[in-house]
Amino acid sequence: MNGTPELQQAVKIVDPTPYFRYLEERFGIPPSTFDGYVLVQPGRKKVYIVTADHRPPARPRPRTVGLPFLRIYLKFPKLSTAAAQQFGHAATRNVIDADAAQAEAFLTRRDFQVRPEQLALCTGRGYVLVRYQGHTLGVGFLIPEEAGGRVESMLPKSWARDPASFSLTAP
C-alpha cells in the first residue's frame, strides 16, 4: 500500500522492505504483521509507522504522523519501545521471557542477569525484546556471558519506574 493521497502529500513514504527484512531476521517478526501499514520518514534518524488509510489534515501541515518505529542511524536499527509493545507479540526469536524480578529491573532501567535457559530463543549479542507474562515490555540489549548473560534495559528514562516504590510482586 502506498498510503492515502493526503498522507503522500504530508510526509515522505519509504520502502519498508529493508526494515521489515531486518525485523524478520532479528526477531522473526513476519512482514505480514505490518500489512495495512506504511513507513514514513520525517528526518534522517527515525522511521514511523502509520496505517495506510490515515488522512492527516492539510493544515496545519504535520511534522510527522504515526508511531515511532525504528531508530535507523545506529549500526543496527533499534525498534522503539512503543513499536516493541505494539508488534512484539509476533516475535519468535531474540526474546527474553523475564521473571518478576527481571521485569522489575527492566522497568526501573537496571541491567539484569539472564539464565542460560532464557537464551533458548536468542541468537547472540544485540537487541532483544523483553516480555513478562506474555506482554512485551520493551527493548533490551543482550550481552552474552559464560553463565547466561546480561540485559541492559533500553526503556526510555521518562517511562521508567522508581525502584524504591515499584514492585511486581506482592509485599
Side-chain angles (χ1 to χ4, degrees), residues 12 61 106 140:
K12 176 184 172 188
R61 183 182 172 95
F106 180 82

Side-chain angles (χ1 to χ4, degrees), residues 14 33 40 49-50 53 55 66 80 89 92 94 135 151 165 169:
V14 297
T33 303
V40 300
I49 192 166
V50 63
D53 62 354
R55 298 182 189 288
S80 74
H89 67 276
T92 59
N94 289 306
H135 301 282
V151 173
S165 62
T169 57

Side-chain angles (χ1 to χ4, degrees), residues 37-81:
Y37 292 94
V38 295
L39 295 184
V40 300
Q41 188 173 357
R44 295 187 322 237
K45 295 183 177 187
K46 292 181 189 176
V47 292
Y48 288 65
I49 192 166
V50 63
T51 57
D53 62 354
H54 181 67
R55 298 182 189 288
R59 298 258 186 251
R61 183 182 172 95
R63 285 182 164 174
T64 191
V65 296
L67 179 79
F69 189 62
L70 283 169
R71 291 179 189 259
I72 57 174
Y73 65 94
L74 306 167
K75 181 177 180 182
F76 298 105
K78 180 191 170 289
L79 199 60
S80 74
T81 299

Side-chain angles (χ1 to χ4, degrees), residues 12-131:
K12 176 184 172 188
I13 297 175
V14 297
D15 178 9
T17 305
Y19 305 115
F20 292 169
R21 184 179 305 127
Y22 165 74
L23 293 174
E24 185 173 32
E25 289 171 4
R26 182 69 193 171
F27 299 109
I29 301 174
S32 62
T33 303
F34 309 105
D35 286 353
Y37 292 94
V38 295
L39 295 184
V40 300
Q41 188 173 357
R44 295 187 322 237
K45 295 183 177 187
K46 292 181 189 176
V47 292
Y48 288 65
I49 192 166
V50 63
T51 57
D53 62 354
H54 181 67
R55 298 182 189 288
R59 298 258 186 251
R61 183 182 172 95
R63 285 182 164 174
T64 191
V65 296
L67 179 79
F69 189 62
L70 283 169
R71 291 179 189 259
I72 57 174
Y73 65 94
L74 306 167
K75 181 177 180 182
F76 298 105
K78 180 191 170 289
L79 199 60
S80 74
T81 299
Q85 291 176 347
Q86 179 69 30
F87 301 106
H89 67 276
T92 59
R93 64 179 158 267
N94 289 306
V95 173
I96 302 289
D97 286 309
D99 61 29
Q102 292 167 326
E104 284 180 18
F106 180 82
L107 292 170
T108 56
R109 286 185 53 89
R110 294 178 287 142
D111 296 358
F112 63 90
Q113 295 298 127
V114 290
R115 298 178 301 278
E117 64 271 16
Q118 290 177 294
L119 299 176
L121 298 176
C122 296
T123 61
R125 181 183 183 94
Y127 294 117
V128 293
L129 299 182
V130 178
R131 290 184 183 152

